[in-house]
Structures are given as structure tokens and as C-alpha cells.
Amino acid sequence: GALVQVQAAEAVPARKEHLPSREQQLQALQSSGEFDVLVIGGGATGCGCALDAATRGLKTALLERDDFSSGTSSRSTKLIHGGVRYLQKAIMKLDFEQYRMVKEALEERAHLLQSAPHLSAPLPIMLPIYKWWQLPYYWVGIKLYDLVAGSQCLKSSYVLTKSRALELFPMLRRDKLVGAIVYYDGQHNDARMNLAIALTAARYGAATANYTEVRQLLKAAGPGGRERVCGVRCRDVLTGKEFDVRAKCVINATGPFTDSVRKMDDEEVPNICQPSAGVHIVMPGYYSPDNMGLLDPATSDGRVIFFLPWEKMTIAGTTDSPTDVTSHPIPTEEDINFILSEVRNYLGADVEVRRGDVLAAWSGIRPLVTNPDSKDTQSISRNHVVTVSDSGLITIAGGKWTTYRAMARDTIDAAVREHRLQAGSCQTMGLQLEGAQDWSPTLYIRLVQDYGLESEVAQHLASTYGDKAFEVAKIAQVTGKRWPIVGKRLVSEFPYIEAEVVYGVKEYARTAVDVLSRRTRLAFLNVQAAEEALPRIVDIMAKELNWCEQKKKVQRE
């Protein structure tokens, strides 16, 4: 076993110390000749495919028309989970496929928590019980969830009495409460996790470029006179320059936009993606305990409702609203009011739930794979499918955040088989992502002691950048105050500092929205705070990227 591990470690290409700039990456795309693998899509799955391919020694490229994680991958529920609901369906319907999906997701949950421990952590989640018969029913289901996880079980679930449940979750509605069950899943900073995967792929040699749009698929005659996809025509969105990138294999990993890329290959192909919207709102942290979430898998209309603590705030939301759009819609007032009404159902009468407490809201599109005739998104399995078109275009669709690594593995396996690529076996299990290698839970103390950062800021930097937090601290400006010595905040009530904007540019941020939404998470946490920070962010980015006054005005707008 040790020998196999040594051989596997030797097969992984060297990890670059220096991260190439976006300009260097664009140059590599244009001057590197033919790539083995070209991935379209910079979400979790696309970046996972690029990382998997690069670590197998394949010459890899990744193109994203917006920013990394700008779509579904930054708009998730922030949970790393196996799917309690899917296990329930697997048992009730004796569906072995659903069971296998939950089993795989629980294995991937453990991997994700280990690969980036600075960005993720286990989270206890409470299921409140309001009817006596539900107690044994849910208890058996949750214990089966633990059992399926096996050695990967994060922590054993347990039952709480009514008084103990109210002690842990004091804002919960008291009347008719029987008790509660607590189980464990994982939670992460999704956009930063996505970015960590992209940066790790870049360090392993993948030519990755955001704001690079694929305009058309290039084709050439293959064996037997069949047309085969042999690359893409793309455009640098920021400069307008168009160029071709050649590749032996092109992978479509575009989430909700899966079918639009498939139709570039063949206009007649039937749709396989049925979008489903998940609406989320952000409320102050006092709506949930610091370290416990709440979930009800059986609301009045059959959807899941949840409250989850995240980044010292509370996320509340629902899942599975069918939608026809493939762009991410802004939640309507009706969406927000529906969630607020559900929140009122679960919190005590002494807690006044106010519309003014909604600090931010977003809607994410889940790209579910389905039969085009299906209309019920709740009955669709979240499993993924890998398809290969007649022209050799490989599409990975469906799945969920937690299983991104397994999806990427299956996709690159299919690419190697279909295009006869010379590649090693999958190397991503146990691979640590950007920032994880030298991270420890006490790293933030060194940031406080060595640089004179506030403790809250140091904790934020350590949990966002891992061992790269020192690089951010090194470029932090002196405050001119007795304490903190360095680290000027962008807004007073959040621990984001100006140095993160400068560092964000090194992480390929090219717009103010990139910094507000994904390098920091300010736009997802508090819209007014994001607006307050915007002018300073634009000024810092203008200095780093040589923006003119007109460009600054466009960015502010």
C-alpha cells in the first residue's frame, strides 16, 4: 500500500510556487499548440476537471466566460452533504441508484473537508420534531445516514429533549415541540472553495482564463470522414480579442448552460438539463445559534426549509423551485416574503421577523439532469451523467457541489478512453487545495503576533486563504493607529481588509463584482455594506489594473 502511494505521488506533476498572471495564462492558451484537454466552464465541476486532468500529466486548458464560480457554484446552500432526503427516497422506493449516490456523496464529503480544512468544517444540524410519531421515524433515518457514512461519519447523531433543544436553539417555536434530532454535515465557503480548485489547477500547469468566452466549436475531419471537435474559437471578454485554442478533447462543464454548448455541437440535440431554482436570504446572526443549523425536510409544500449560520450571519432558504431561465434570476419580493413566512413558522412568537432584517438575497440555478418530458424536479436524482457526442464533445451534467471531484474523475476517465489520451490514473483523492498545505487551526495567532492584525481579521484571513494568509498580511497597509498595526478594513463591521483587493487581482479578479461577491463574500452577506465598500474597491483595483476614469465609472455602475 505504501509503495502504491509513493508511485502515485511520483506521478503527480510538480506544483508551481509562482501563480501565473491572467495575461501569462492567455499567452499560454495562444502559444502552447494543441492541448490534450480543454474544459469549458469555470464552476466547481469545470475547475475540478481541469485539476484532475492536470494532475494526471495531461496538457490542460480551462475557459470561463465570466468569473470563476460566478454562476451556480457561488450560489449554493453552502452545505457539503450526502443528502438525507435522497437516502429517504432510496429506502422508501428501494432505489439502489439513489443509495449509491448518497454513499458516494458521503465519501466525497469527507474528502472535501480534508482537502481544504480552512474553507470547510462539520456543522451540526437540528431537525425539530413536532409530532411524536416523527421521532422514531426520523431517528431511524438519521441513524441509517450515519451507518451509510461508515468510517466517514463526522460525528454520531443524537436525540434532544424539548428543553435541551430550546437551550441550544432558544429562538425556536416552543408550542407543540416534542424534541429534536441533531446530525452532522459539512459547510464551506463555496466561491472560495471553487477558486481554490481553479488556483490549484493553475499551479499544476493548467492554462486557466476567466472572462474568456467560447464563441464556437472548431471541427475537423476525423477517422471515417466523421467531423470531430478539435478546439474552440474564443474571445477575451475584457479586450475583445478573438483567438483559437486547439485540443484533442473538449469538455462541456457549463452547468445550467450545458444545452447551449451541446447545441453549438449539434443544433438538433434534445435538452438534458432542467433547471431548478434555490432562493436564499441572509439575515443577522441572531436568527440562529453560532454553530448549529436547522432543517425541516417536510414543509407544507414539500420543499426543504433551512436556517444555517454562515460567516457570522444566518442563511434561510428553500430548494427546488422549477424555473425556465438559464441565467441566475434576482429573487422577487414574493420569493423573499415566502421564505420570511416559513421562518416565522419555526421561530418563537417573541422573535419578530422583519423584512428589514433581510440583508442580502440570491437565487442559484441547479442544473438537474432529466428526461425532457419530466416536470417534477423534486423527483429527479442529483446524480451526474457523462455523455459523448458523435463528434467527440464530452459533456458532464447534473451532480452537486459535494461530488465535484468524483464528477471530474468520471469525466476525465471518459475523455482518456474516448480520445485515447496518454494519462496516469486519477490523483485528486487526498490532494490538498490552495492554502491547505501548511494551514492549522491556530495559524491566525501567528498573523496577530507577527503582523499586528486584529484577531477577527486574522481569523478571517486564515479561514479564507489558509497558509496564503501571510501573503495577504505582507501587503496590508499600516493603519497609523496603536492597534491594529496593519489591516485597514473596507467596512467597519466586516473583517475584510483593503489588502484583499490587491491580492484578489493576483487571484484573477478583474471586476469590482469579482471582489465583492467571490474574493470576499460581502455582496452575499450585506448589500448596503457592499455598496459602501464599492468606491474604495474600485480605486484600489484601478491602481492595480491601470483603469481610466471611464472604466472606474463603469465598474461603480
Side-chain angles (χ1 to χ4, degrees):
L3 179 62
V4 170
Q5 284 182 331
V6 169
Q7 287 171 334
E10 287 173 351
V12 178
R15 198 167 181 153
K16 293 179 186 176
E17 280 301 309
H18 175 70
L19 190 68
S21 68
R22 181 175 181 273
E23 290 66 35
Q24 289 170 326
Q25 296 282 38
L26 285 168
Q27 188 57 40
L29 285 168
Q30 295 170 67
S31 62
S32 296
E34 188 180 44
F35 287 91
D36 292 318
V37 169
L38 185 150
V39 183
I40 307 171
T45 307
C47 291
C49 288
L51 177 58
D52 189 298
T55 55
R56 296 193 199 201
L58 293 168
K59 190 175 173 184
T60 306
L62 170 73
L63 305 176
E64 163 57 48
R65 74 173 180 184
D66 202 310
D67 184 29
F68 302 115
S69 192
S70 58
T72 300
S73 297
S74 64
R75 299 158 189 266
S76 74
T77 306
K78 322 303 177 200
L79 286 179
I80 307 170
H81 63 108
V84 172
R85 210 165 39 132
Y86 312 139
L87 182 62
Q88 179 192 21
K89 288 179 182 176
I91 294 165
M92 301 292 277
K93 297 179 180 178
L94 299 175
D95 187 335
F96 186 65
E97 272 304 303
Q98 290 261 22
Y99 168 80
R100 270 180 52 198
M101 190 192 74
V102 174
K103 179 78 174 168
E104 178 182 67
L106 288 169
E107 288 169 1
E108 292 300 320
R109 179 186 72 177
H111 159 74
L112 202 46
L113 289 166
Q114 290 161 7
S115 68
H118 58 300
L119 290 169
S120 57
L123 176 73
I125 299 174
M126 181 187 290
L127 297 174
I129 307 294
Y130 288 96
K131 295 184 175 74
W132 278 107
W133 66 266
Q134 289 179 331
L135 196 59
Y137 176 75
Y138 282 137
W139 184 82
V140 168
I142 293 298
K143 280 298 169 190
L144 282 171
Y145 192 60
D146 290 351
L147 193 65
V148 173
S151 62
Q152 311 282 22
C153 182
L154 301 177
K155 205 171 176 184
S156 189
S157 56
Y158 54 92
V159 176
L160 293 173
T161 61
K162 177 179 178 176
S163 59
R164 183 73 179 125
L166 290 169
E167 195 179 312
L168 290 172
F169 215 117
M171 56 289 289
L172 206 57
R173 197 182 83 204
R174 295 164 178 267
D175 57 310
K176 296 183 182 176
L177 185 70
V178 171
I181 296 169
V182 175
Y183 74 99
Y184 285 77
D185 260 329
Q187 189 178 50
H188 68 157
N189 184 337
D190 54 1
R192 291 295 318 184
M193 184 72 82
N194 193 156
L195 187 64
I197 301 164
L199 296 176
T200 308
R203 288 197 189 274
Y204 278 109
T208 59
N210 56 351
Y211 292 103
T212 309
E213 180 185 22
V214 171
R215 305 300 296 272
Q216 69 179 90
L217 301 178
L218 303 177
K219 294 186 178 181
R226 265 197 320 170
E227 276 201 328
R228 303 285 284 176
V229 173
C230 63
V232 300
R233 178 78 173 167
C234 56
R235 181 176 72 97
D236 181 346
V237 174
L238 303 180
T239 65
K241 181 182 177 182
E242 293 198 6
F243 56 93
D244 293 344
V245 182
R246 301 278 170 179
K248 294 171 187 171
C249 169
V250 175
I251 293 170
N252 171 16
T254 53
F257 306 98
T258 293
D259 288 322
S260 60
V261 176
R262 290 173 73 240
K263 287 180 192 299
M264 279 186 193
D265 177 40
D266 176 4
E267 289 181 7
E268 303 300 315
V269 74
N271 288 350
I272 61 167
C273 183
Q274 181 172 321
S276 167
V279 178
H280 308 74
I281 62 173
V282 172
M283 305 175 81
Y286 52 71
Y287 274 94
S288 65
D290 288 343
N291 191 37
M292 182 169 282
L294 180 142
L295 184 146
D296 186 351
T299 59
S300 54
D301 67 353
R303 289 188 284 182
V304 170
I305 183 85
F306 50 82
F307 313 122
L308 303 169
W310 186 67
E311 300 286 314
K312 300 188 177 174
M313 296 293 191
T314 301
I315 296 176
T318 62
T319 59
D320 292 331
S321 302
T323 179
D324 294 327
V325 291
T326 51
S327 61
H328 295 274
I330 296 168
T332 63
E333 199 61 31
E334 187 183 352
D335 292 330
I336 292 169
N337 287 331
F338 172 76
I339 295 173
L340 287 174
S341 68
E342 289 289 336
V343 168
R344 290 186 186 100
N345 288 341
Y346 290 94
L347 300 187
D350 53 337
V351 180
E352 186 188 352
V353 180
R354 304 175 302 176
R355 173 64 179 84
D357 284 341
V358 178
L359 306 174
W362 73 88
S363 181
I365 303 294
R366 291 176 175 82
L368 308 181
V369 187
T370 180
N371 179 319
D373 300 327
S374 172
K375 290 182 175 60
D376 176 16
T377 63
Q378 292 178 43
S379 66
I380 300 168
S381 165
R382 263 50 170 188
N383 223 338
H384 60 274
V385 295
V386 179
T387 65
V388 183
S389 75
D390 291 342
S391 64
L393 175 70
I394 292 178
T395 295
I396 170 67
K400 58 182 183 175
W401 227 121
T402 308
T403 57
Y404 89 90
R405 191 204 68 86
M407 292 165 68
R409 176 201 63 210
D410 293 349
T411 307
I412 302 303
D413 282 348
V416 169
R417 283 194 310 270
E418 174 69 18
H419 295 274
R420 296 184 174 86
L421 303 175
Q422 297 298 310
S425 57
C426 180
Q427 304 290 347
T428 52
M429 180 58 88
L431 187 75
Q432 295 213 294
L433 298 177
E434 179 89 348
Q437 287 180 300
D438 296 317
W439 176 84
S440 72
T442 55
L443 181 142
Y444 79 95
I445 296 171
R446 282 173 54 204
L447 291 170
V448 175
Q449 293 174 336
D450 296 355
Y451 294 94
L453 287 159
E454 289 175 87
S455 183
E456 186 189 9
V457 170
Q459 286 176 352
H460 153 66
L461 293 182
S463 66
T464 302
Y465 302 93
D467 59 21
K468 304 296 178 195
F470 294 103
E471 294 182 19
V472 183
K474 279 174 192 169
I475 56 176
Q477 289 180 307
V478 174
T479 61
K481 296 190 284 191
R482 182 180 62 79
W483 188 262
I485 297 167
V486 299
K488 288 185 180 177
R489 293 193 183 209
L490 287 165
V491 283
S492 59
E493 70 267 39
F494 287 92
Y496 302 118
I497 59 173
E498 292 184 358
E500 292 181 75
V501 184
V502 178
Y503 194 75
V505 171
K506 293 180 181 178
E507 293 182 322
Y508 308 132
R510 286 298 178 272
T511 70
V513 173
D514 295 347
V515 172
L516 281 169
S517 297
R518 293 172 288 274
R519 302 310 180 278
T520 72
R521 304 311 307 273
L522 200 50
F524 279 79
L525 295 170
N526 190 313
V527 171
Q528 288 181 323
E531 286 182 10
E532 187 185 323
L534 177 61
R536 185 65 189 133
I537 287 171
V538 170
D539 287 345
I540 296 168
M541 293 187 80
K543 192 174 174 184
E544 293 296 311
L545 295 165
N546 300 316
W547 288 347
C548 63
E549 283 303 316
Q550 176 59 23
K551 176 77 172 174
K552 287 170 69 173
K553 182 172 179 284
V554 169
Q555 286 297 311
R556 282 194 294 270
E557 286 172 356

